[in-house]
């Protein structure tokens, strides 16, 4: 039986008896716990899914699973209010958040050829990242072999200085996870780079959060960094969320 000891155990990432273990915490907010990694599989709507990191475990008769993993696989947003110590799933008490596309629509799309495409979808057909997490709100980039090394495709959105932040999860689509090519995902605000990260084979999805305070034009861009084989590349910006002023 595989056992481990965790120090600094926090309730903020746990679902299933979320705060049931508070009696075990030391006054400093942490303690040493003995847990058992016996969870072999998680099925959501009868589809097998397991977190790549923060593995589920059993403690004191309860099974603990990362909260964000469960919520996002059920199509819900997750929020955290540090001032009140409150976890939000789905709707929050902050009505100033909205998905990209609910009000802000693309104003310009640039692609290399008609074989490439960029789609902004709200509450539509679900797609999966390369960890099999599902999303119904996303921007999907589809690039075939005609997108060569150094070439880019992008979509622009008018923010008009009305938003303060943009956040999302970004990563390779499951259907294209076997591509050996490397792409660079870039976020720009009024032409200034706000975020950049290279994604290659086996790269896990990344949480992205940038300030867009005062930004009039938001750009999401995908660039082919290394073209190693003539195969399609698929990339997703999942649950793209804007925060109003």
């Amino acid at each position: 039986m595989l056992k481990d000891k965790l120090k600094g155990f926090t309730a903020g990432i746990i679902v299933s008896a979320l705060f049931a273990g508070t009696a075990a915490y030391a006054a400093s907010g942490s303690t040493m716990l003995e847990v058992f990694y016996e969870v072999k599989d998680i099925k959501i709507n009868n589809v097998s899914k397991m977190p790549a990191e923060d593995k589920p475990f059993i403690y004191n008769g309860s099974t603990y699973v990362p909260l964000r993993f469960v919520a996002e696989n059920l199509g819900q947003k997750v929020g955290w209010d540090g001032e009140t110590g409150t976890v939000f799933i789905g709707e929050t008490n902050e009505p100033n958040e909205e998905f990209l596309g609910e009000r802000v629509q693309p104003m310009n799309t640039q692609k290399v050829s008609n074989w490439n495409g960029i789609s902004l979808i709200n509450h539509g057909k679900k797609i999966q990242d390369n960890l099999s997490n599902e999303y119904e709100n996303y921007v999907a980039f589809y690039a075939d072999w005609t997108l060569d090394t150094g070439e880019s495709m992008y979509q622009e959105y008018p923010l008009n200085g009305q938003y303060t932040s943009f956040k999302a999860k970004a990563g390779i689509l499951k259907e294209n996870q076997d591509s050996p090519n490397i792409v660079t995902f870039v976020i720009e605000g009024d032409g200034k780079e706000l975020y950049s990260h290279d994604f290659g084979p086996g790269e896990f999805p990344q949480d992205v959060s940038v300030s867009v305070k005062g930004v009039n034009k938001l750009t999401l861009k995908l660039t082919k960094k290394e073209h190693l084989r003539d195969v399609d590349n698929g990339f997703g910006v999942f649950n793209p969320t804007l925060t109003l002023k």
Side-chain angles (χ1 to χ4, degrees):
M1 184 177 292
L2 181 63
K3 298 187 294 184
D4 199 2
K5 293 182 181 292
L6 300 180
K7 187 174 182 180
F9 177 75
T10 60
I13 63 168
I14 301 299
V15 71
S16 175
L18 184 59
F19 298 107
T22 53
Y25 298 154
S28 64
S30 66
T31 190
M32 188 75 72
L33 300 178
E34 186 175 62
V35 302
F36 300 88
Y37 288 96
E38 295 183 320
V39 180
K40 305 301 182 184
D41 193 14
I42 296 175
K43 289 186 181 292
I44 299 178
N45 293 324
N46 209 32
V47 177
S48 294
K49 298 176 182 289
M50 280 288 282
E53 302 175 352
D54 299 322
K55 297 295 186 181
F57 59 83
I58 297 172
Y59 169 70
N60 198 26
S62 293
T63 302
Y64 292 79
V65 182
L67 175 62
R68 182 175 296 278
F69 170 80
V70 174
E72 291 185 347
N73 271 279
L74 295 174
Q76 301 295 322
K77 292 187 292 184
V78 178
W80 167 252
D81 187 336
E83 293 184 1
T84 63
T86 302
V87 175
F88 293 96
I89 302 175
E91 294 185 4
T92 73
N93 64 350
E94 300 180 358
N96 59 339
E97 281 194 350
E98 63 186 62
F99 284 123
L100 186 66
E102 288 184 336
R103 291 197 302 168
V104 177
Q105 298 293 327
M107 65 179 186
N108 182 33
T109 300
Q110 292 292 326
K111 52 188 182 179
V112 174
S113 73
N114 290 332
W115 299 107
N116 301 307
I118 306 174
S119 300
L120 171 60
I121 302 296
N122 290 123
H123 306 291
K125 179 181 178 181
K126 292 183 178 181
I127 61 173
Q128 295 181 325
D129 62 24
N130 60 352
L131 295 179
S132 297
N133 300 315
E134 291 186 336
Y135 308 88
E136 61 179 15
N137 298 281
Y138 52 86
V139 179
F141 292 79
Y142 296 99
D144 73 349
W145 59 271
T146 60
L147 188 70
D148 209 347
T149 300
E151 293 184 322
S152 302
M153 53 194 300
Y154 60 87
Q155 197 163 67
E156 298 175 331
Y157 312 87
L159 301 189
N160 300 318
Q162 298 178 359
Y163 298 87
T164 60
S165 67
F166 173 82
K167 62 182 180 180
K169 186 179 288 290
I172 297 169
L173 298 182
K174 182 177 179 64
E175 60 188 287
N176 305 105
Q177 63 183 358
D178 294 329
S179 170
N181 299 326
I182 299 175
V183 297
T184 302
F185 173 58
V186 178
I187 301 176
E188 295 178 348
D190 294 331
K192 180 181 178 180
E193 184 177 293
L194 305 177
Y195 171 88
S196 179
H197 188 83
D198 295 338
F199 290 84
E203 179 84 17
F204 292 147
Q206 301 289 316
D207 288 319
V208 180
S209 181
V210 297
S211 172
V212 293
K213 186 176 181 180
V215 170
N216 293 306
K217 182 180 68 177
L218 177 71
T219 304
L220 303 182
K221 180 189 294 185
L222 193 72
T223 300
K224 179 75 69 66
K225 183 174 183 178
E226 290 188 19
H227 186 108
L228 302 176
R229 190 187 304 167
D230 289 346
V231 295
D232 294 345
N233 288 92
F235 189 86
V237 184
F238 311 109
N239 290 336
T241 304
L242 289 165
T243 304
L244 277 163
K245 286 183 176 180

